[in-house]
């Protein structure tokens, strides 16, 4: 069997991909895990924010999501390090995506709150970083998750938690029309 080794994040970030927002009826037609996997497989477009902030969602499983990036000077704040919002965005992404993987067909979610703790400065010299999110609870109406952002050596850079509201997606039919 000829299995190619996994590509590193630098190579993955160079690959061409489609970026767009998925129509609501497509979102509603799939389970959360099927939706996220279709996005990773390139069957659905990647979210535009991943292009803007130069990161990728690289793995999903039920209750789990991983995103990877290579921080650059483009994300620096005025004091000479990567802006905390960059870490917050990566954490928010894997927190939400991990919750999304637990949704049934026809369900959606929105973030009610999230908290981020920035532990270590990130710079353009930090190298590849990886955020992993895991669902802690997934109920009918509320889900919670936790996430960690680490460098290639496994050092903790930031961590966070979220509470999400789970809801039924609108069917798109007008009132009284079925």
């Amino acid at each position: 069997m000829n299995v190619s080794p996994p590509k590193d994040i630098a190579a993955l970030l160079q690959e061409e991909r489609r970026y767009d927002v998925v129509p609501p009826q497509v979102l509603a037609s799939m389970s959360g895990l099927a939706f996220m996997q279709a996005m990773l497989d390139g069957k659905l477009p990647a979210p535009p924010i991943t292009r803007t902030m130069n990161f990728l969602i690289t793995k999903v499983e039920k209750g789990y999501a991983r995103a990877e990036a290579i921080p650059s000077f483009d994300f620096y704040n005025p004091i000479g390090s990567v802006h905390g919002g960059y870490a917050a965005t990566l954490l928010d992404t894997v927190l939400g995506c991990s919750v999304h993987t637990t949704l049934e067909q026809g369900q959606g979610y929105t973030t009610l709150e999230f908290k981020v703790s920035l532990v270590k400065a990130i710079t353009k010299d930090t190298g590849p970083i990886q955020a992993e999110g895991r669902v802690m609870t997934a109920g009918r109406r509320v889900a919670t998750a936790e996430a960690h952002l680490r460098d290639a050596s496994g050092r903790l850079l930031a961590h966070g938690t979220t509470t999400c509201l789970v809801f039924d997606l609108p069917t798109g039919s007008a009132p009284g029309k079925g």
Side-chain angles (χ1 to χ4, degrees), residues 104-116:
E104 295 177 17
Q105 181 178 334
Q107 287 187 311
Y109 80 95
T110 190
T111 300
L112 290 174
E113 62 86 28
F114 77 103
K115 179 188 182 306
V116 171

Side-chain angles (χ1 to χ4, degrees), residues 49-71:
I49 192 152
T50 61
R51 177 179 58 192
T52 301
M53 301 212 40
N54 200 32
F55 72 90
L56 289 174
I57 302 161
T58 57
K59 184 175 183 180
V60 293
E61 296 173 353
K62 187 164 184 146
Y64 173 85
R66 178 178 68 208
E68 297 180 67
I70 302 174

Side-chain angles (χ1 to χ4, degrees), residues 22-36 38 43-44 100 103-108 167-172:
V22 176
Q25 62 272 24
V26 172
L27 179 63
S29 73
M30 308 169 82
S31 73
L33 182 57
F35 175 83
M36 293 299 303
K43 295 174 184 166
L44 292 173
H100 198 135
L103 301 179
E104 295 177 17
Q105 181 178 334
Q107 287 187 311
F167 54 87
D168 293 332
L169 292 170
T171 61

